[in-house]
Amino acid sequence: MNAHNRPARISSAVLERVGYFLPRLLFANARIAPQLHWGDITRALDGFDADLVDPASAAFWDEWRKRFSAIGESYEMLAASSASTAGKGEALRSASAAYHFAEFMFFEEAGIKAELRQSVRRCFTQAMGHSETAYETRTERVGGCEVTTFRFFPLTPHPKTGFPCVILCNGLDSMTEIEILSIGEYFLNRGIAILLFEGPGQGLDLGIRPLRIDMEAVVADLLSALERDSRVDANRLGFFGVSFGGYFALRVAQALPRRFRGIVNLSGGPEITQFARLPRRLKQDFAFVLGCEDPLDIQARFDTMRLKTAGDTQGPDILSIHGRLDDIFPLCALQTHAEAAFGRHELRVHETEAHVCMNHLHPNLIGASDWMLERLVHSVSAIQPKQERALS
């Protein structure tokens, strides 16, 4: 075969080094949220210098950024040349996803990262202009600051009492219209409305302001806003957080114990691994998000973030899903936290998974959204004590 005309492919050397990230790149199984396709990844990684593939190096992520940015640009060109509404929307969704995964682990130049995140939002907004899916985005003043919110409602008929609703919260490096919206679609498919929000230090605000830790203050005001929305049944609310959003979910459960019927924590925990033990890419991630470069200062912040494990007799049902190999939120701390909840906190552990249990993401989201459906829609009998169960 002519080497100049061969089809694009990922070399085995490159595939071995980046294999951990592939489930993240193919995160979405979505109807609305932007998503990559396997061919996009193949084209982006074709010809990647194997000597450069070190996910702990800045050079690797700079080259990665350039390659996925090029995929995004090609989809924007395709959208501009498409003669159909469907084609424009499909291409723009793919452009949005490509721009996000160009920047998601790139922390070297804040200006470039911010520009790419703006491209994610721009392409998504344009794509939704070619879609029949209705949604609302607005800037709201909550928790003493301005945040961006997104509201999506199911396609099913509007109930007289309003839709049950789940508030969803991002992780450190995710984008609202990519990962968290794709998770939200599981709830939309079950007749549950969703509210997505970008608190200080999240979404487009990432790296602009330090991440706000007392996010429960933002959530409390979002709840008040939902109570004024006649389309929402404020008596049937849930909360879902992934990664650091899962940590926020546990904070919300403690700070607002009577406001939610169910809370799902996907791979968050009550405390963070010692900063010095984190891999380089995660150290950069936390430093960028917290707006701090001093390791001692970051560790001091970690220490103040640690949640108290108190035996609360009242509060919402909580479902935590965690990997035993998680290198960000130690499982042992989460186990202690769950055991103190008097049977209200169910912990599902994947023995061979790391952070976010990416290889089991789809079945976990099916199970978690069905769990939430039981609490928000179906009548629930008295909650029986739950026991931790290990999953392989």
Side-chain angles (χ1 to χ4, degrees), residues 16-36:
E16 181 179 0
R17 298 304 301 276
V18 304
Y20 172 80
F21 295 102
L22 295 183
R24 171 72 182 268
L25 301 185
L26 297 171
F27 190 102
N29 182 25
R31 174 177 57 87
I32 305 169
Q35 59 185 20
L36 287 177

Side-chain angles (χ1 to χ4, degrees), residues 135-346:
Y135 79 108
E136 300 173 4
T137 181
R138 61 181 77 171
T139 299
E140 303 184 54
R141 187 160 187 82
V142 295
C145 57
E146 291 189 342
V147 304
T148 300
T149 63
F150 299 78
R151 300 186 194 202
F152 290 81
F153 291 90
L155 298 176
T156 54
H158 188 290
K160 291 182 179 180
T161 58
F163 288 105
C165 183
V166 172
I167 300 176
L168 292 103
C169 187
N170 276 310
L172 288 187
D173 47 60
S174 56
M175 276 290 285
T176 307
E177 48 270 269
I178 310 293
E179 293 94 342
I180 206 68
L181 176 56
S182 70
I183 292 173
E185 288 192 43
Y186 286 81
F187 298 111
L188 289 174
N189 293 340
R190 287 159 176 76
I192 300 171
I194 59 173
L195 171 66
L196 318 179
F197 73 97
E198 295 179 351
Q202 294 182 313
L204 293 187
D205 205 34
L206 182 75
I208 307 301
R209 289 182 288 179
L211 180 68
R212 181 168 181 170
I213 302 304
D214 63 332
M215 202 68 77
E216 61 271 16
V218 172
V219 174
D221 284 351
L222 288 175
L223 289 171
S224 297
L226 285 177
E227 289 174 351
R228 297 190 296 270
D229 191 333
S230 62
R231 297 167 299 178
V232 172
D233 183 348
N235 292 315
R236 295 189 294 162
L237 300 177
F239 191 95
F240 184 107
V242 58
S243 186
F244 209 84
Y247 164 78
F248 285 138
L250 297 178
R251 284 187 70 104
V252 165
Q254 288 189 340
L256 305 168
R258 298 180 181 275
R259 304 300 296 275
F260 296 99
R261 290 195 181 186
I263 289 181
V264 176
N265 156 41
L266 176 54
S267 281
E271 64 181 66
I272 309 170
T273 295
Q274 291 288 307
F275 182 75
R277 298 178 183 175
L278 292 173
R280 177 186 177 276
R281 63 182 177 84
L282 293 177
K283 288 180 179 178
Q284 280 193 304
D285 200 345
F286 275 106
F288 188 86
V289 170
L290 296 176
C292 177
E293 296 292 338
D294 184 349
L296 293 178
D297 191 5
I298 295 175
Q299 182 57 55
R301 298 188 193 195
F302 282 7
D303 293 340
T304 62
M305 291 179 207
R306 186 178 296 118
L307 298 180
K308 294 180 179 179
T309 298
D312 297 324
T313 58
Q314 294 183 339
D317 281 358
I318 302 172
L319 170 62
S320 287
I321 301 172
H322 214 74
R324 188 170 294 278
L325 306 181
D326 195 304
D327 57 356
I328 303 177
F329 293 99
L331 174 62
C332 57
L334 181 59
Q335 288 174 318
T336 300
H337 198 77
E339 290 168 358
F342 294 98
R344 293 182 292 99
H345 191 156
E346 178 183 355

